[in-house]
Structures are given as C-alpha cells and as structure tokens.
Amino acid sequence: MEEQLASFQAYLQNVKKASENTTLSYLRDLRGFCKYLETLGISELSSVNRTNVIAYVYELQEQKKAQATVLRNLASIRALFHFLMVEGMCQDNPALDVELPREERKMPVVMSLEQVELLLEQPQKKDAKGLRDKAMLEVLYATGIRVSELISLTMADLNLPFAYIRCVKGQKSRTIPIGRKAKEAVWEYLEKGRPQLVHQPEEEVLFLNYGGKKMTRQGFWKIVKMYGQAAGISEEITPHMLRHSFAAHLLENGADLRAVQEMLGHSDISTTQIYTKLHASKIRSVYTKAHPRA
C-alpha cells in the first residue's frame, strides 16, 4: 500500500500541482485509512470494498471526529481510488457512492426577552463609545443582521426618517426596518458620538472605532462579551445570539415566516424554519409544565 500511496503523492505533486499542505493532508488521511485496513487483515488496496469504507467512516464517527474531518477523509479515499482506477491498479472505486448521514442541525441558542433587555441597558451613554455601543446593540437586535453586515454599514445605508437600513452583500441588497428604540439610539450616536470618532470627514462607515476606522468583528465580539458579563448573564453572549433572538422573538409574536426570511437574508426558507421548531419546542415545554393533564 505504501508504494501506491507514493505514486498517488507523485500524481498530486506533479500532475495536479497540489500545494504541499494539500498533499500532506491527503496522505495523512490515507495513512490512517491504511492502518485501519491492516487491522482488518487487508494488505492490498485492490481488495478494499464498499463495506470496508463504510466501516471506516463509522470508526471515525465513533472517535468523535468532526463531520468536516470525516468528509475530508472520505474525499481523500475517493481521490485515491479514482487515481488507482485510472492507473489500472484497481477495478472500481469503493468510496464512490458512500455518503454520510446528514448532520442534524443544531438548535440556535436564543436569549430571553429579559436577557436582551438587560444587555441593551448596559452601555453607558456618557461618551462616544457608550453611544456607539448602545446604537450597535440596538440595531443588531432590531434588524437581526449579521455582525459582518453591521460593521460594514455606511452612512448611505441608513435612512432614519423612514426608519430602515440597507444591507448590501455582493450584488444583492435587502431593506430592513428598524424600531423606535434603535432609531433613537442611532440618532443620538450620530449627533453626539460619531463626530468625536471621525478622523476623516469623508469617512462613510457608520460605526467607527477610536482610530476613526471600521470596527473589526473581533472588536465587536469583545464588546458584546463585556456587556454580557456586566449584565450578570451566566451564558457567554455572542453577537450571533442577538440575530437568533431577533428571529425567534418575531416568530413567537406572530411574524410571517417569509418576512423573517427576507429580513435575515436567508436564501433557503428551510434555514429560517429552524426558528419555528424552536418556538414549537418552547410551546411544548410550557404545555408540559402548565397543563394539569400533560
């Protein structure tokens, strides 16, 4: 088997022009597979069948390997046997039709309304930073936009008179309304906070750091974490939890699923539907606890 792996390595390097890291990744996966085959008493790759490949996949899953790692190993095995077939070293590709069971989508972690209120109350509007942080948190919860979208907002994306923001991603854009509280927080930031942070008059980014530049994702993540701790919330709060909470709270209060999908910018409604499952789960929990005959 080592000789065939050496031939495959030469193919990757000389024909496919794969990078050193890619080549090493393939070989690391394949050597693990070959060691497993040896435990089954298989010494020739031409003797490997589909059952052996499936068994190895289950072995990796038993070892609690991440889904991405298992998929990468399977891709490496497929690539090896494709090469061996082309070279006439085996008759078929035993990994060709092997698929992993779909990974169950994790339920999003959602904050309660009380936790959201506590978090939004934390920024002290005594200086530019407090005004900015208050506005950013309010906009994030009011619109459900992603952190990357929040920190990329420009002055042109903001329409306060009509209370909406515009999010642009590549060739696509969407318009999202903002509520009264978020609108007030942004007005106050624009009047009292942003002028203190602007270094260049032509700067278009809405939310600025102390250097007068666009804030980083990591910088904002630290801000949210700090306010979560200040609020005494035991769970570690992340910016994405506010996006999840925005969607879940809207649906709990009767919002239309398609409207929530559009505001979140989901291309597939099945991605948005996970929040309805969360809502249904909460209803079942309340029923079980409260109904006398549950």
Side-chain angles (χ1 to χ4, degrees):
M1 286 190 280
E2 194 60 41
E3 185 179 336
Q4 291 166 315
L5 289 184
S7 298
F8 183 57
Q9 180 178 2
Y11 164 75
L12 290 173
Q13 293 170 331
N14 302 325
V15 179
K16 298 295 288 184
K17 304 296 183 184
S19 69
E20 183 179 355
N21 284 341
T22 300
T23 302
L24 290 174
S25 177
Y26 270 113
L27 293 175
R28 183 170 56 249
D29 292 345
L30 293 171
R31 288 201 170 98
F33 179 57
C34 289
K35 283 183 181 178
Y36 173 75
L37 294 176
E38 288 171 4
T39 66
L40 301 179
I42 298 173
S43 57
E44 298 291 335
L45 287 172
S46 57
S47 302
V48 175
N49 58 37
R50 186 171 183 270
T51 302
N52 302 142
V53 177
I54 293 173
Y56 184 60
V57 166
Y58 280 116
E59 174 71 17
L60 292 175
Q61 291 175 324
E62 284 292 316
Q63 295 172 15
K64 305 297 183 184
K65 298 292 185 184
Q67 187 88 334
T69 301
V70 181
L71 283 168
R72 192 197 65 226
N73 273 267
L74 189 54
S76 297
I77 296 167
R78 281 199 191 105
L80 170 65
F81 279 99
H82 175 75
F83 164 75
L84 295 177
M85 283 178 62
V86 170
E87 294 296 312
M89 299 183 198
C90 69
Q91 297 298 313
D92 57 18
N93 188 335
L96 190 60
D97 296 321
V98 175
E99 294 183 0
L100 298 189
R102 290 188 64 178
E103 190 173 21
E104 187 175 344
R105 187 176 291 171
K106 292 180 181 178
M107 296 296 278
V109 179
V110 172
M111 300 168 66
S112 69
L113 284 169
E114 293 76 15
Q115 287 177 322
V116 172
E117 290 291 341
L118 269 174
L119 182 69
L120 298 181
E121 287 171 3
Q122 294 312 305
Q124 300 299 304
K125 300 186 290 181
K126 297 176 181 178
D127 54 19
K129 180 183 183 302
L131 290 164
R132 179 202 65 194
D133 294 351
K134 173 69 171 174
M136 292 184 80
L137 289 174
E138 289 283 0
V139 169
L140 195 62
Y141 178 61
T143 62
I145 60 177
R146 302 173 181 89
V147 176
S148 57
E149 295 170 330
L150 178 73
I151 62 176
S152 298
L153 287 174
T154 67
M155 297 294 290
D157 294 326
L158 185 65
N159 189 321
L160 285 185
F162 290 94
Y164 71 80
I165 61 170
R166 180 187 62 180
C167 277
V168 180
K169 187 177 181 182
Q171 300 297 315
K172 296 181 179 179
S173 69
R174 66 188 194 280
T175 300
I176 311 165
I178 59 174
R180 176 178 54 84
K181 293 282 186 73
K183 180 179 175 180
E184 290 172 359
V186 175
W187 266 124
E188 198 167 0
Y189 164 67
L190 291 177
E191 289 180 353
K192 303 175 186 177
R194 192 174 184 276
Q196 298 178 45
L197 297 174
V198 172
H199 289 200
Q200 301 293 332
E202 66 274 13
E203 179 59 65
E204 281 297 307
V205 172
L206 176 58
F207 296 115
L208 302 170
N209 59 22
Y210 278 124
K213 300 294 183 183
K214 174 182 172 180
M215 189 179 292
T216 63
R217 290 168 56 93
Q218 294 83 355
F220 185 64
W221 185 89
K222 289 178 182 177
I223 288 170
V224 174
K225 182 179 179 181
M226 177 190 70
Y227 287 128
Q229 292 172 342
I233 300 171
S234 57
E235 300 97 328
E236 185 173 318
I237 304 300
T238 67
H240 216 65
M241 285 171 70
L242 280 169
R243 176 172 164 85
H244 291 321
S245 303
F246 160 83
H249 295 166
L250 276 179
L251 290 168
E252 280 180 22
N253 287 283
D256 178 71
L257 185 64
R258 289 283 181 186
V260 175
Q261 176 195 4
E262 188 173 335
M263 286 185 279
L264 290 173
H266 288 161
S267 56
D268 188 340
I269 199 167
S270 65
T271 308
T272 318
Q273 282 173 329
I274 193 167
Y275 296 106
T276 64
K277 293 178 183 177
L278 189 71
H279 180 42
S281 175
K282 182 177 179 180
I283 291 172
R284 282 195 299 272
S285 175
V286 169
Y287 176 86
T288 303
K289 289 177 182 178
H291 198 283
R293 299 176 70 85

